[in-house]
């Protein structure tokens, strides 16, 4: 039977060698560990996500004390060293001698007995010198992020703000819940979660938000199964709150999966008829299952390509939601693999895709209706440039939504119809929100 460290090593091999999405790989790996208790699952989650989040820093340390470059090591050996260095540098619960001993035993157990001495020598050398070891003053090493992403953030925000952002996404992310107020109040849910051993406090951005701790698997809790909430980042919640969906209206969510924004819209707008669409079958299944668990009968799930106009929906919606496919540079905290594997050239193609979706979906908005455009990225090309292009191309005007978001300097631009949420200020994803109102029928 595999122990926690072996599960983590094999999981990291899957992420680094196959370039699997870390969040997807983590769910799949933990699902296979039914014999693990909550504490064991939390340990696997921490050392896996911690190694991914701090990979370049960890590899720099290993490379400084090993004659064999990390890139030339066998993947399992490299990842045994990585989880060990992560524990030495970022965790204080396991003594160093125990970390080294466990690593040697794991190398033998995984069939690398002849390399166990190498593992032992490298780790003991690191252990003796780690306290006085200084990292180079390179942001990409210090924050374990691709050079081009570091340069991108510096260009977008300036060096100080970019470094603050990079530092913030190196921390484990908060888990936030969006409360299904159709079934339970926020205060009631805090009490229910406390009985389940979960600490919950109100969020700092969105009114339906709860920040939670002391859990590694929300889906296993009775409160989750009863449909009292869904997991959702606060910045994404803020987008729906800003759009202020109204009761008994028609809403179309064109890139809906896995469904969080449709779900929250249903909470805030009882009686609304919501059409939630996506192009991928497996995502649509997740959306259907979520809507059923939450008891949201007003959501209709459909397969549709958002770049293709549906003639039957022209001028039909009071609110159209476009949470556009994007580079995901705002999600580095929850998806640290993006820091490592995202390719710079992908942004140009995404901008084209975003504009093709906007070109189709705006036609569903009634005159006087609203369009919400959002992304989970920090990129002028995908965000403010697209906003300006859209306003110059179609009969819409920006909506002042300052009354629907916190009255703070960071959101002053809400009066002009948009905000850019930055992770370092709110411990959320980086997120762009823009809201437009249709002025007239376009001929």
């Amino acid at each position: 039977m595999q122990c926690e460290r072996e599960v983590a090593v094999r999981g990291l091999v899957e992420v680094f060698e196959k370039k699997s999405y870390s969040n997807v790989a983590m769910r799949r790996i933990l699902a296979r560990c039914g014999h693990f208790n909550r504490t064991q699952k939390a340990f696997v989650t921490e050392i896996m996500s911690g190694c991914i989040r701090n990979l370049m820093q960890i590899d720099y340390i290993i490379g400084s004390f090993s004659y064999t470059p990390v890139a030339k090591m066998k993947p399992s050996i490299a990842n045994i060293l990585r989880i060990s260095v992560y524990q030495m540098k970022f965790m204080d619960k396991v003594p160093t001698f125990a970390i080294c001993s466990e690593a040697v035993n794991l190398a033998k157990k995984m069939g690398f007995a002849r390399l166990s001495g190498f593992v032992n020598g490298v780790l003991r050398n690191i252990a003796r010198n780690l306290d006085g070891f200084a990292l180079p003053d390179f942001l990409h090493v210090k924050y374990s992020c691709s050079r081009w992403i570091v340069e991108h953030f510096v260009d977008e925000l300036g060096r100080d703000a970019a470094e603050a952002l990079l530092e913030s996404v190196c921390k484990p992310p908060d888990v936030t819940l969006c409360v299904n107020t159709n079934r339970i109040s926020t205060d009631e849910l805090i009490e229910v979660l406390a009985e389940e051993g979960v600490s919950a406090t109100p969020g700092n951005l969105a009114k339906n938000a709860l920040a939670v701790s002391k859990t590694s698997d929300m889906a296993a809790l009775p409160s989750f199964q009863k449909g009292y909430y869904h997991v959702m980042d606060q910045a994404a919640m803020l987008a729906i709150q800003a759009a202020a969906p109204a009761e008994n209206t028609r809403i179309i969510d064109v890139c809906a999966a896995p469904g969080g924004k449709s779900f929250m819209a249903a909470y805030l707008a009882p009686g609304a008829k919501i059409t939630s669409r996506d192009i991928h079958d497996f995502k649509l299944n997740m959306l259907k299952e979520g809507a059923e668990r939450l008891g949201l009968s007003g959501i209709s799930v459909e397969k549709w390509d958002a770049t293709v106009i549906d003639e039957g929906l022209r001028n039909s919606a009071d609110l159209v939601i476009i949470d556009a496919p994007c580079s995901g540079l705002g999600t580095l905290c929850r998806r640290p693999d993006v820091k490592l594997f995202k390719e710079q050239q992908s942004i140009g193609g995404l901008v084209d895709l975003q504009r093709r979706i906007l070109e189709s979906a705006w036609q569903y908005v009634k005159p006087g209706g609203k369009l919400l455009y959002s992304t989970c990225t920090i990129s002028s090309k995908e965000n403010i440039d697209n906003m300006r292009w859209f306003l110059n191309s179609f009969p819409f005007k920006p909506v002042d939504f300052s009354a629907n978001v916190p009255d703070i300097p960071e959101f002053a631009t809400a009066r002009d119809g948009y905000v850019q949420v930055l992770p370092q200020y709110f411990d959320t994803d980086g997120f762009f929100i823009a809201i437009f109102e249709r002025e007239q029928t376009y001929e």
Side-chain angles (χ1 to χ4, degrees), residues 215-237:
T215 183
S216 60
D217 189 3
M218 297 300 300
L221 298 177
S223 56
F224 180 88
Q225 300 300 329
K226 291 176 182 178
Y228 289 164
Y229 54 84
H230 67 276
V231 177
M232 186 177 185
D233 187 79
Q234 271 202 92
M237 292 185 228

Side-chain angles (χ1 to χ4, degrees), residues 378-414:
I378 302 161
S379 165
S380 297
K381 291 180 180 179
E382 298 175 80
N383 295 338
I384 193 70
D385 290 355
N386 269 348
M387 174 182 173
R388 291 168 178 155
W389 168 84
F390 183 78
L391 291 171
N392 287 332
S393 303
F394 303 107
F396 285 77
K397 61 182 179 181
V399 173
D400 176 357
F401 58 88
S402 57
N404 300 330
V405 298
D407 184 15
I408 53 178
E410 289 81 6
F411 293 161
T413 56

Side-chain angles (χ1 to χ4, degrees), residues 99-401:
I99 293 171
C100 296
S101 177
E102 289 285 351
V104 169
N105 291 337
L106 184 54
K108 293 176 180 177
K109 181 181 178 184
M110 296 183 70
F112 300 101
R114 63 186 180 83
L115 293 174
S116 61
F118 168 76
V119 169
N120 184 60
V122 171
L123 290 179
R124 292 195 181 280
N125 197 9
I126 292 173
R128 285 192 297 269
N129 296 281
L130 188 57
D131 286 344
F133 184 78
L135 291 168
D137 190 25
F138 300 140
L139 294 184
H140 73 282
V141 173
K142 186 176 181 181
Y143 299 112
S144 295
C145 191
S146 298
R147 287 177 184 267
W148 81 263
I149 294 179
V150 171
E151 293 168 358
H152 171 85
F153 285 152
V154 171
D155 289 344
E156 292 273 334
L157 306 171
R159 182 182 171 94
D160 290 346
E163 185 163 9
L165 186 158
L166 290 165
E167 182 177 8
S168 74
V169 300
C170 283
K171 298 180 293 185
D174 289 337
V175 175
T176 51
L177 312 180
C178 187
V179 182
N180 182 357
T181 46
N182 292 345
R183 290 191 167 176
I184 194 169
S185 72
T186 299
D187 289 341
E188 289 170 334
L189 182 55
I190 290 174
E191 294 180 4
V192 169
L193 290 169
E195 293 172 359
E196 296 175 337
V198 178
S199 175
T201 56
N204 58 352
L205 282 186
K207 57 187 177 183
N208 275 52
L210 285 180
V212 299
S213 58
K214 298 183 180 178
T215 183
S216 60
D217 189 3
M218 297 300 300
L221 298 177
S223 56
F224 180 88
Q225 300 300 329
K226 291 176 182 178
Y228 289 164
Y229 54 84
H230 67 276
V231 177
M232 186 177 185
D233 187 79
Q234 271 202 92
M237 292 185 228
L238 188 69
I240 299 300
Q241 180 176 305
E247 296 182 12
N248 303 309
T249 53
R250 181 74 187 278
I251 299 170
I252 301 173
D253 188 350
V254 300
C255 303
K261 294 178 183 62
S262 289
F263 301 158
M264 185 173 179
Y267 305 158
L268 299 184
K273 295 183 182 296
I274 302 175
T275 301
S276 300
R277 290 179 158 180
D278 205 271
I279 197 172
H280 300 291
D281 288 328
F282 77 97
K283 290 185 177 181
L284 290 169
N285 289 335
M286 292 171 58
L287 204 163
K288 289 178 184 176
E289 291 170 2
E292 289 172 3
R293 179 180 60 81
L294 297 162
L296 303 177
S297 58
I299 293 180
S300 174
V301 178
E302 300 175 356
K303 184 175 183 178
W304 193 270
D305 183 344
T307 64
V308 178
I309 182 70
D310 183 345
E311 297 292 343
L313 294 183
R314 284 184 184 272
N315 305 319
S316 66
D318 299 284
L319 172 65
V320 168
I321 301 170
I322 304 176
D323 186 42
C326 69
S327 57
L329 297 181
T331 66
L332 303 187
C333 191
R334 285 188 297 106
R335 293 183 53 208
D337 51 283
V338 172
K339 294 197 299 179
L340 307 174
F341 303 143
K342 176 63 69 175
E343 296 180 355
Q344 184 174 9
Q345 58 266 33
S346 65
I347 291 181
L350 287 164
V351 171
D352 177 67
L353 175 60
Q354 291 153 1
R355 293 189 178 188
R356 287 190 291 126
I357 292 172
L358 283 162
E359 284 176 326
S360 294
W362 78 261
Q363 299 176 71
Y364 304 150
V365 184
K366 295 176 179 177
K370 292 185 291 186
L371 186 151
L372 163 63
Y373 175 76
S374 64
T375 72
C376 55
T377 197
I378 302 161
S379 165
S380 297
K381 291 180 180 179
E382 298 175 80
N383 295 338
I384 193 70
D385 290 355
N386 269 348
M387 174 182 173
R388 291 168 178 155
W389 168 84
F390 183 78
L391 291 171
N392 287 332
S393 303
F394 303 107
F396 285 77
K397 61 182 179 181
V399 173
D400 176 357
F401 58 88

